[in-house]
Amino acid sequence: MTLLITGAAGFIGANFVLDWLAQPGEAIVNLDKLTYAGNLESLASLQGDARHTFVQGDIGDSALVTRLLAEHQPRAVLNFAAESHVDRSIHSPEDFIQTNIVGTFRLLEAVRAYWGSLPADEKSAFRLLHVSTDEVYGSLSKDDPAFTETHRYEPNSPYSASKAASDHLVRAYHHTYGLPVLTTNCSNNYGPYHFPEKLIPLMIVNALAGKPLPVYGDGMQVRDWLYVKDHCSAIRRVLEAGVPGETYNIGGWNEKPNIEIVQTVCALLDELRPRADGAPYSAQISYVKDRPGHDRRYAIDASKIERELGWRPAETFDSGIRKTVQGYLANPEWVAHVQSGAYRDWVQTQYAAS
Ligand code: NAD
Ligand code: TYD
């Protein structure tokens, strides 16, 4: 038995594969296009592990996906692949439409054909798990209740609109064709192997490089932050026990304004790697022009997954953010290779012979 996982050279997918293979379980076929966000160095510890097969390719390549499904006969497909950065979606939305909408549609079509050909017992056990975001629900005011699974979709950025479209397609494939799908909508993740274009890794990397720490607008936008390993354990649980056709919100019960996140990162760096001149890292904070259409607040009500599947986050924000900062300090090579672009050479080095 295998799992076909898409986008598992990215931040969350790579963490999921590392965690999955740390326990006994099925082998993984990892289909990833290796965009700028895909980094096989994050999976370097799996070198030589026969349970991980990497295939460079696009979820929108129907022939390739069809071949992989026929060859590996997975009992589930987990779709992490996406363009994921809001700011990039504002500058150039096209890739978001192609991967998140068209790519997900083509993946669904290939999976539907494969699933339709399975014998009855495998057909009923099969799952397609689609990994999505809380951003599809739009923005909350200060006192609004947190997003539940029935909150209406109100995406505000090209990124969140493209993810919302993919969620709707996944839902429709269940409703129309009976495809056994599961959808998860998660809040902001942080942790190891996070590409330093997102808030937390960008702040760590810029702080250490002596660069400004750009805080958009007034820095009072609120996000709910979840340690990535907790997201991975939630996905594992949904795959195991989620009810086909259902969606599950995943969050950390941990709302914080951006400026507080940045101050926390600065304080941890002051403690763990003080600046040579003795000044606090917070001196590098620089308020910059706000993101267009910036969502003010996201908050996840994760009580359904707790009630129905018994999942709760294991990490507190204090412990998770400390581990995260320590991890970046301990792994300067990963960061340096991302910044220099050398991580892109990894695929040649690693897979030259295969
Ligand atoms: P990421 O940008 O770090 O990784 C995305 C991966 O997908 C990369 O390895 C990239 O090469 C690959 N990819 C992109 N287009 C592809 C294509 N057409 N075919 C195959 N592979 C392709 O993203 P992430 O932060 O790991 O997010 C993973 C998923 O989780 C996404 O669907 C995202 O919407 C969702 N999500 C992310 C967060 C978060 O805080 N990062 C929160 C909730 C949900
Ligand atoms: P980000 O990590 O891009 O995630 P998302 O936009 O998907 O929530 O941003 C998190 C928050 O941090 C968001 O409110 C935008 C803000 N932000 C900054 O203030 N400065 C930055 O340089 C970045 C990248 C984000």
Side-chain angles (χ1 to χ4, degrees):
M1 291 294 249
T2 54
L3 302 180
L4 174 61
I5 306 193
T6 72
F11 164 47
I12 304 172
N15 276 288
F16 183 86
V17 168
L18 292 170
D19 287 4
W20 184 270
L21 293 178
Q23 297 180 34
E26 292 97 334
I28 282 171
V29 179
N30 173 357
L31 171 64
D32 194 296
K33 188 177 175 181
L34 295 184
T35 67
Y36 78 94
N39 184 351
L40 286 175
E41 280 194 34
S42 308
L43 298 169
S45 62
L46 298 178
Q47 200 165 6
D49 190 329
R51 295 171 305 158
H52 176 240
T53 303
F54 177 72
V55 180
Q56 183 170 5
D58 194 317
I59 56 166
D61 181 343
S62 307
L64 173 62
V65 176
T66 299
R67 179 171 66 72
L68 291 176
L69 291 167
E71 226 172 78
H72 297 282
Q73 300 280 307
R75 63 126 174 139
V77 174
L78 278 65
N79 184 32
F80 291 83
E83 289 292 335
S84 71
H85 190 40
V86 174
D87 293 320
R88 284 181 191 260
S89 84
I90 294 169
H91 291 291
S92 42
E94 176 78 28
D95 288 346
F96 290 73
I97 306 306
Q98 285 309 328
T99 285
N100 300 0
I101 305 180
V102 180
T104 303
F105 158 69
R106 295 220 178 109
L107 179 71
L108 281 165
E109 275 293 273
V111 169
R112 178 167 78 91
Y114 164 71
W115 170 74
S117 72
L118 292 173
D121 54 337
E122 288 175 31
K123 204 172 168 189
S124 63
F126 181 83
R127 298 288 181 269
L128 178 124
L129 190 153
H130 177 62
V131 179
S132 193
T133 167
D134 60 355
E135 303 192 26
V136 297
Y137 298 123
S139 184
L140 293 169
S141 301
K142 192 167 157 284
D143 298 318
D144 286 342
F147 302 130
T148 63
E149 288 77 1
T150 55
H151 198 282
R152 102 177 143 126
Y153 271 38
E154 226 169 16
N156 289 321
S157 72
Y159 164 64
S160 53
S162 67
K163 290 296 292 186
S166 68
D167 293 8
H168 290 321
L169 283 168
V170 169
R171 179 191 149 85
Y173 271 64
H174 176 72
H175 192 82
T176 304
Y177 305 112
L179 190 69
V181 304
L182 299 158
T183 298
T184 55
N185 294 90
C186 188
S187 60
N188 286 58
N189 286 215
Y190 67 97
Y193 308 122
H194 204 179
F195 196 83
E197 62 182 353
K198 306 277 170 71
L199 181 71
I200 289 178
L202 184 78
M203 294 301 147
I204 298 172
V205 166
N206 276 13
L208 293 171
K211 293 184 181 163
L213 308 180
V215 172
Y216 298 161
D218 64 1
M220 289 306 291
Q221 301 82 8
V222 171
R223 298 291 182 265
D224 169 85
W225 294 94
L226 180 70
Y227 191 60
V228 64
K229 304 284 182 191
D230 278 326
H231 187 185
C232 295
S233 73
I235 290 172
R236 183 186 269 267
R237 184 70 193 131
V238 171
L239 179 65
E240 188 176 60
V243 176
E246 289 293 310
T247 66
Y248 297 90
N249 281 357
I250 304 170
W253 300 105
N254 178 48
E255 284 184 57
K256 294 203 183 294
N258 294 336
I259 188 63
E260 195 180 318
I261 297 288
V262 177
Q263 294 282 11
T264 302
V265 167
C266 288
L268 279 165
L269 287 171
D270 289 339
E271 176 196 327
L272 299 168
R273 183 69 57 83
R275 267 173 49 155
D277 64 1
Y281 283 99
S282 57
Q284 291 166 229
I285 291 174
S286 160
Y287 286 90
V288 299
K289 195 159 124 334
D290 209 352
R291 171 187 281 173
H294 199 169
D295 284 337
R296 196 67 184 165
R297 174 175 167 241
Y298 304 141
I300 275 277
D301 180 337
S303 44
K304 175 177 171 181
I305 189 172
E306 177 168 2
R307 194 175 56 246
E308 296 187 5
L309 304 182
W311 177 89
R312 257 192 88 82
E315 204 74 50
T316 66
F317 185 68
D318 285 352
S319 61
I321 192 72
R322 178 172 285 273
K323 272 190 203 173
T324 302
V325 172
Q326 282 168 334
Y328 278 83
L329 290 173
N331 204 354
E333 212 176 53
W334 185 91
V335 174
H337 287 180
V338 167
Q339 288 178 314
S340 71
Y343 72 102
R344 289 176 176 278
D345 301 338
W346 177 255
V347 70
Q348 275 86 33
T349 318
Q350 166 78 346
Y351 296 92
S354 55

